[in-house]
Amino acid sequence: MTRYLVVPQWQGSPSSRAMQLIDGAQAIAGDLPRSATTVLDVPMEAGESLGSGIHRLSALQRVNGLVAEALDAHHAAAPDEAVLTIGGDCGIALAPIAHAARRAPGLAVVWIDAHPDLNSPDSSPSGAFAGMVLRAVIGDGEPGLSLPVGTVAAERVVVGGARSFDDPELDLVAERGIAALTVEALRDAEALADAVLATGADAVYIHIDIDALDPAEIAGNAHPEPFGVTVAELTAAVTALRARVPLVGASLAGYSPASLAAANDDLGAILRVISVLA
């Protein structure tokens, strides 16, 4: 059985529509099994940067701690149940990846996103943590909002579907040996699994930002990038990966509908993606 942890965090987003991530998370929660779903009470305050270069750092640290506590409590009560964490912005993935890495030291992280989220506080053009999360996962980030170095090796990260890189992100991919699969590559259903197995990993965590999808597939996207994958292509790749590598955690983020009423137009596509993660 899969349990769902819904985290309507908005503080990591660079978008003027950041608060709509709350509506997106709540809309998804409304279509999940009530008995298997926990909606985290995310503080509404913006928080302070604390001189870090990360906007709203204090609020992000607080939510990260709440997510970690919720995952630890669930694992203590039901160690064999998987948890799918749903945002909110991509920052909600940090604590679940740390949790998965403790359970599976040979973990690979698959990051399916139109943007690779590999900026640092120094290189980020926005100061938004959502664009720094994956770099924090490999241990290169603000203390207190990044994983210890070595928790997830850069060589065990696979970025999929990214098509909007900043120059420092491109440099990091080359320098650290991060695998990056294009949208075209993902259209081969086995390519993602091949890339993960090539890292030598024996387990995988999958994070999906819905902006990896082509804008024609979903309207509720604050950062649309053209020429993305289709729902069918994405679900085929994830299904093939799960058939070959054990999944120990997953997250989905980035849904920001224009209104709660408009959310109904996209939920069919989102639930198809959730179904292959769950």
Side-chain angles (χ1 to χ4, degrees):
M1 177 181 176
T2 298
R3 291 199 62 88
Y4 305 92
L5 177 63
V6 180
V7 186
Q9 175 179 281
W10 61 274
Q11 289 93 335
S13 171
S15 173
S16 60
R17 293 170 50 178
M19 298 293 285
Q20 291 170 342
L21 290 164
I22 300 172
D23 292 341
Q26 291 175 341
I28 295 171
D31 266 17
L32 299 176
R34 183 170 300 180
S35 63
T37 301
T38 299
V39 179
L40 202 66
D41 186 13
V42 172
M44 289 299 296
E45 63 264 24
E48 302 292 335
S49 66
L50 305 179
S52 66
I54 300 177
H55 295 332
R56 312 181 183 113
L57 174 66
S58 61
L60 292 163
Q61 288 175 320
R62 182 177 174 189
V63 177
N64 189 61
L66 292 173
V67 175
E69 290 172 7
L71 291 169
D72 287 344
H74 173 76
H75 185 66
D80 296 327
E81 279 189 346
V83 178
L84 172 56
T85 307
I86 295 170
D89 65 68
C90 287
I92 59 97
L94 187 65
I97 291 173
H99 187 265
R102 289 196 298 271
R103 297 169 59 199
L107 186 74
V109 171
V110 167
W111 197 265
I112 299 176
D113 194 320
H115 315 86
D117 298 343
L118 284 168
N119 271 302
S120 70
D122 292 332
S123 71
S124 171
S126 68
F129 183 62
M132 311 179 202
V133 190
L134 190 52
R135 190 149 181 174
V137 165
I138 62 174
D140 186 6
E142 178 69 21
L145 200 62
S146 60
L147 305 190
V149 174
T151 303
V152 176
E155 297 79 10
R156 285 188 173 163
V157 170
V158 178
V159 174
R163 48 204 189 274
S164 179
F165 288 78
D166 293 322
D167 287 343
E169 295 176 310
L170 287 170
D171 293 342
L172 189 75
V173 167
E175 291 167 5
R176 302 292 297 275
I178 295 172
L181 297 182
T182 64
V183 170
E184 186 63 32
L186 282 179
R187 294 191 171 121
D188 174 357
E190 297 295 333
L192 184 59
D194 290 343
V196 170
L197 288 169
T199 70
D202 53 22
V204 67
Y205 181 101
I206 302 173
H207 172 78
I208 297 175
D209 186 326
I210 61 96
D211 69 12
L213 294 169
D214 190 87
E217 297 281 291
I218 192 162
N221 181 352
H223 303 284
E225 295 287 346
F227 311 118
V229 293
T230 67
V231 172
E233 290 164 345
L234 177 58
T235 55
V238 171
T239 299
L241 173 58
R242 293 198 60 181
R244 297 170 64 187
V245 186
L247 180 72
V248 293
S251 47
L252 180 138
Y255 183 45
S256 54
S259 66
L260 280 173
N264 293 328
D265 298 335
D266 291 326
L267 285 176
I270 290 172
L271 292 173
R272 285 174 63 193
V273 176
I274 286 175
S275 70
V276 296
L277 295 175

